[in-house]
Amino acid sequence: SLYRFLSRARWASDQVGHVLFCLLLRWLPRDIEVVVDDTLCHRSGPHIFGAGMHHDASRSTYGKGSSAGRLAFFAFGQSWVVLAVRLPLPWDRLRGKAIPILFRLYRPKRHCAQTQYRKRTELAVELVKLLESWIPPGFRLFLAADAEYACKTLVPRLAKTTTFIGPMNMDASLYAPAGSYAGTGRPRTKGRRLPSPRQLAVDTSVSWRRVTIRAYGRRVDVSTKTCTCLWYTVAGTRMVKVVFTRDPRGRIDDRAYFATDGSMSVEELLQRFSRRWMIEVCFRETKQCLGLEDPQNGWGRRKNS
């Protein structure tokens, strides 16, 4: 009965998301945290709209702990780009749940017209711009995403009041600000070249700083180096705060993160990015507990008569 009720009506999903966001707004802090990511819903059948072969991240490996090296797996289904809002728990404001409010179906390029094709990052821009139009005055937006969305398609299009937090390539090209210009012609958009995150790790002139953050439900000690610069390739002329991290115990590889708010502290940047994992938990719960992949949409495969 539930599937019949949902299938026999026209649904404006964005309006449903707007109503849900307005209901959540009374429980949200002034600094609203959101996460953007995509997930693969495995589907079977030849008549499922928008389905195709997609990279299956849950089955693929990255070379570590595998004798066969890096292996990539693909699966048939629908790929959804989802925007979720972090709702803090009343009894512990440092913990929260990811509540999905907006989503878009990613259609493979060969399964749609050329004028209709949009990349996942372009779909994410559409979702974020829609949410920005709903934010009332007095609120700020903090957007966390993985490496796929830390790109020039998304970051430069964000509003000035929206702060993006994500990972950075270890060989990223960083630059100093352009500075004042008194000549003629077009002014420079960036200054001198700065060390990359990988070079910053071996730079002995910059000392390590030990910080303690609360990430993934526990307190973690991390060694960090920071700098404020331009990542012109991704963020354009917007200054970014770069944090380079190293595990004192050597169990995790060195990594780099950035935020488009240069005044953000190291602890705040790392803690806000660690909350991106909530959307992964949300995907797991909706698939394994709520049965997101259970409905059999489409007809079964039949032999041609």
Side-chain angles (χ1 to χ4, degrees), residues 1-8 11:
S1 300
L2 173 63
Y3 297 148
R4 183 166 57 251
F5 170 74
L6 294 175
S7 64
R8 289 188 175 183
W11 294 88

Side-chain angles (χ1 to χ4, degrees), residues 60-86:
S60 302
T61 63
Y62 293 89
K64 295 182 179 180
S66 174
S67 59
R70 182 172 183 177
L71 299 176
F73 290 90
F74 294 83
F76 185 82
Q78 293 175 325
S79 178
W80 294 90
V81 180
V82 182
L83 185 145
V85 176
R86 176 183 180 269

Side-chain angles (χ1 to χ4, degrees), residues 7 13 18 28 47 55 61-62 88 93 121 126 150 160 177 217 263 290:
S7 64
S13 59
H18 188 199
L28 296 177
H47 299 283
H55 177 256
T61 63
Y62 293 89
R93 305 296 291 182
T121 51
E126 183 178 341
K160 295 298 182 181
S263 62
L290 301 181

Side-chain angles (χ1 to χ4, degrees), residues 8-198:
R8 289 188 175 183
R10 287 183 174 270
W11 294 88
S13 59
D14 291 348
Q15 295 181 11
V16 176
H18 188 199
V19 172
L20 179 57
F21 177 74
C22 293
L23 294 175
L24 294 173
L25 193 58
R26 60 177 298 189
W27 307 104
L28 296 177
R30 292 291 176 176
D31 295 343
I32 301 177
E33 296 182 70
V34 298
V35 184
V36 169
D37 201 0
D38 56 87
T39 184
L40 173 61
C41 292
H42 299 82
R43 301 291 188 184
S44 61
H47 299 283
I48 298 180
F49 177 80
M53 295 299 295
H54 301 280
H55 177 256
D56 192 347
S58 61
R59 298 177 57 200
S60 302
T61 63
Y62 293 89
K64 295 182 179 180
S66 174
S67 59
R70 182 172 183 177
L71 299 176
F73 290 90
F74 294 83
F76 185 82
Q78 293 175 325
S79 178
W80 294 90
V81 180
V82 182
L83 185 145
V85 176
R86 176 183 180 269
L87 179 64
L89 299 179
W91 57 87
D92 188 352
R93 305 296 291 182
L94 296 180
R95 300 176 61 187
K97 300 287 290 185
I99 310 297
I101 61 172
L102 292 172
F103 53 87
R104 291 289 186 272
L105 175 63
Y106 169 76
R107 299 176 61 190
K109 182 180 294 187
R110 64 178 181 176
H111 293 167
C112 61
Q114 185 176 2
T115 56
Q116 297 178 347
Y117 175 74
R118 288 179 296 171
K119 299 184 294 184
R120 292 184 179 88
T121 51
E122 293 174 336
L123 297 175
V125 171
E126 183 178 341
L127 299 180
V128 175
K129 300 303 289 185
L130 183 59
L131 178 61
E132 288 177 344
S133 66
W134 298 345
I135 300 294
F139 287 81
R140 295 192 304 170
L141 192 63
F142 291 83
L143 172 63
D146 59 12
E148 181 179 0
Y149 299 94
C151 61
K152 61 181 180 181
T153 303
L154 175 62
V155 177
R157 301 185 185 181
L158 300 176
K160 295 298 182 181
T161 56
T162 301
T163 300
F164 183 90
I165 306 169
M168 174 180 283
N169 192 308
M170 292 294 293
D171 296 318
S173 300
L174 307 179
Y175 296 88
S180 59
Y181 179 74
T184 59
R186 182 179 179 181
R188 298 183 61 183
T189 57
K190 53 188 176 181
R192 61 182 179 85
R193 179 75 175 267
L194 299 178
S196 66
R198 194 180 305 277

Side-chain angles (χ1 to χ4, degrees), residues 180-235:
S180 59
Y181 179 74
T184 59
R186 182 179 179 181
R188 298 183 61 183
T189 57
K190 53 188 176 181
R192 61 182 179 85
R193 179 75 175 267
L194 299 178
S196 66
R198 194 180 305 277
Q199 295 171 338
L200 182 64
V202 298
D203 187 359
T204 57
S205 63
V206 181
S207 59
W208 291 94
R209 174 173 171 259
R210 182 73 65 89
V211 297
T212 302
I213 63 173
R214 179 171 174 175
Y216 310 109
R218 60 177 182 173
R219 295 191 175 275
V220 181
D221 293 330
V222 184
S223 299
T224 64
K225 291 184 179 182
T226 63
C227 69
T228 303
C229 58
L230 293 176
W231 191 13
Y232 190 79
T233 305
V234 171

